[in-house]
Amino acid sequence: MITLSNKQLTIQISSHGAELCSIRGNASGQEYLWQADPAYWKRHSPVLFPIVGSLWEQQFRQEGRIYPMSQHGFARDMDFELVRSSETEALFQLASSAESLQKFPFGFLLQIGYVLEENRVKIIWKVYNPDPQVLHFQIGAHPAFYYPDYTPETAGRGYFAFDKTADLHYRLIEEKGCIAPVDYPLELQDGLLPLDVHTFDHDALILEDSQLKEVRLLDKNKQPYLSLQFTAPVVGLWSPPAKNAPFVCIEPWYGRCDRVAYTGEFKDRDWMQHLSANEWFEADYTIRLDRE
């Protein structure tokens, strides 16, 4: 476990999955990141690569060959190499191997970086294609945060605030972890989305087409708690359905699950990223703790 710290924050990252496992405010001593109780969900903040979400029938097609792959890909379950670290920065990487090529027939180098900046954690993704063929992939984040002032006996959980409040719409997971092409209006109250025990009864709310660039989590008194800023074109909002879970996820994605009944080529899936030989993909998102 790698520990980074500045005057305001201390975080911990595991080399397994290069996963962020703790975000603690130094002044308050408060833990913001979900601590992976398997009774609800056994992870903290996994990286999703080389797919986001589920494939139809848990398999994809590449040039006529079928490859099985489970939800969110395999990087979250691999051991990353620590490239470098300092008091406030760390960089991890995972390279394709003979083993990975059996289940994902593309060469790649995946780097995950963490940088502390005052009350913020910046997470950096870099993907490199070392091979002549085009690399097709998706990448996403899945951080889970404790609800502020959570009490299991009451329905209210707080609120989401967004950088946009008009004409928001979302899609839902409909069958076998895959999405249906039906848009639902996101209904806000005074510009906010109230969160309660039933908000995610139908699983994740998926907002596409770069509708949002910031999601803020507010407490029950509508006071700022934490926020995520991102450039990803898709964001998922999720808490485990029917579990009365103490946490909520804010998930920036460069990708998402298949459409229901999709059986086309891997490269033609929705929201795919494509890298030619010797090219880099780079993106980032930031977690800001608004109480520290």
Side-chain angles (χ1 to χ4, degrees):
M1 195 76 70
I2 299 298
T3 299
L4 307 182
S5 188
N6 64 9
K7 291 182 178 180
Q8 292 173 270
L9 307 177
T10 298
I11 70 172
Q12 291 189 312
I13 311 141
S14 172
S15 59
H16 188 70
E19 183 175 6
L20 184 61
C21 295
S22 174
I23 307 175
R24 192 173 291 275
N26 292 341
S28 66
Q30 181 173 355
E31 177 62 70
Y32 287 82
L33 200 66
W34 169 243
Q35 288 303 289
D37 179 351
Y40 297 97
W41 188 56
K42 67 178 183 179
R43 301 181 189 268
H44 306 269
S45 181
V47 61
L48 315 181
F49 178 89
I51 61 168
V52 173
S54 295
L55 301 167
W56 184 250
E57 303 292 359
Q58 299 293 297
Q59 60 188 21
F60 68 89
R61 291 162 177 80
Q62 168 64 15
E63 295 183 349
R65 182 175 173 182
I66 294 177
Y67 295 84
M69 184 171 290
S70 58
Q71 184 186 46
H72 296 322
F74 54 77
R76 61 183 181 169
D77 295 316
M78 303 291 288
D79 290 327
F80 281 63
E81 172 193 357
L82 177 64
V83 178
R84 62 177 182 270
S85 66
S86 66
E87 289 185 358
T88 59
E89 297 187 19
L91 179 66
F92 299 81
Q93 73 178 21
L94 176 70
S96 54
S97 63
E99 177 187 0
S100 73
L101 289 169
Q102 293 300 310
K103 52 190 175 184
F104 182 66
F106 301 95
F108 67 86
L109 178 68
L110 169 62
Q111 295 186 333
I112 310 293
Y114 295 90
V115 181
L116 298 188
E117 301 171 339
E118 298 179 337
N119 64 335
R120 303 182 298 276
V121 184
K122 184 176 182 181
I123 297 93
I124 301 165
W125 298 321
K126 295 182 179 180
V127 182
Y128 175 69
N129 180 12
D131 286 351
Q133 69 170 335
V134 176
L135 167 58
H136 311 293
F137 70 97
Q138 297 176 331
I139 191 167
H142 202 321
F145 305 101
Y146 283 105
Y147 282 119
D149 312 317
Y150 167 82
T151 52
E153 297 81 12
T154 57
R157 296 289 179 266
Y159 299 85
F160 275 145
F162 308 113
D163 58 315
K164 177 184 174 183
T165 57
D167 302 319
L168 294 174
H169 51 88
Y170 66 94
R171 292 183 173 183
L172 291 172
I173 305 295
E174 298 285 357
E175 185 180 350
K176 297 181 181 179
C178 294
I179 202 168
V182 179
D183 287 322
Y184 302 92
L186 189 66
E187 298 179 359
L188 306 182
Q189 297 181 11
D190 298 323
L192 303 176
L193 178 65
L195 302 173
D196 63 33
V197 69
H198 296 297
T199 302
F200 302 101
D201 280 355
H202 300 288
D203 214 308
L205 310 181
I206 300 172
L207 288 84
E208 302 184 303
D209 301 316
S210 298
Q211 294 180 70
L212 299 177
K213 295 302 178 187
E214 182 176 33
V215 177
R216 301 187 298 278
L217 178 59
L218 312 181
D219 65 19
K220 295 175 185 177
N221 296 317
K222 303 181 182 178
Q223 296 304 302
Y225 178 67
L226 62 81
S227 61
L228 262 72
Q229 296 84 38
F230 49 87
T231 57
V234 186
V235 61
L237 308 174
W238 178 79
S239 190
K243 285 194 175 183
N244 196 10
F247 68 89
V248 66
C249 297
I250 306 170
E251 309 176 36
W253 297 337
Y254 287 84
R256 66 147 167 75
C257 61
D258 274 347
R259 287 167 281 156
V260 168
Y262 180 76
T263 56
E265 282 283 303
F266 184 67
K267 66 180 178 63
D268 297 324
R269 298 175 65 241
D270 296 335
W271 299 109
M272 292 295 288
Q273 309 302 312
H274 313 280
L275 274 182
S276 297
N278 302 314
E279 286 189 344
W280 284 89
F281 165 95
E282 183 170 348
D284 61 72
Y285 70 99
T286 299
I287 301 167
R288 185 183 71 213
L289 305 188
D290 294 322
R291 286 186 175 179
E292 299 294 332

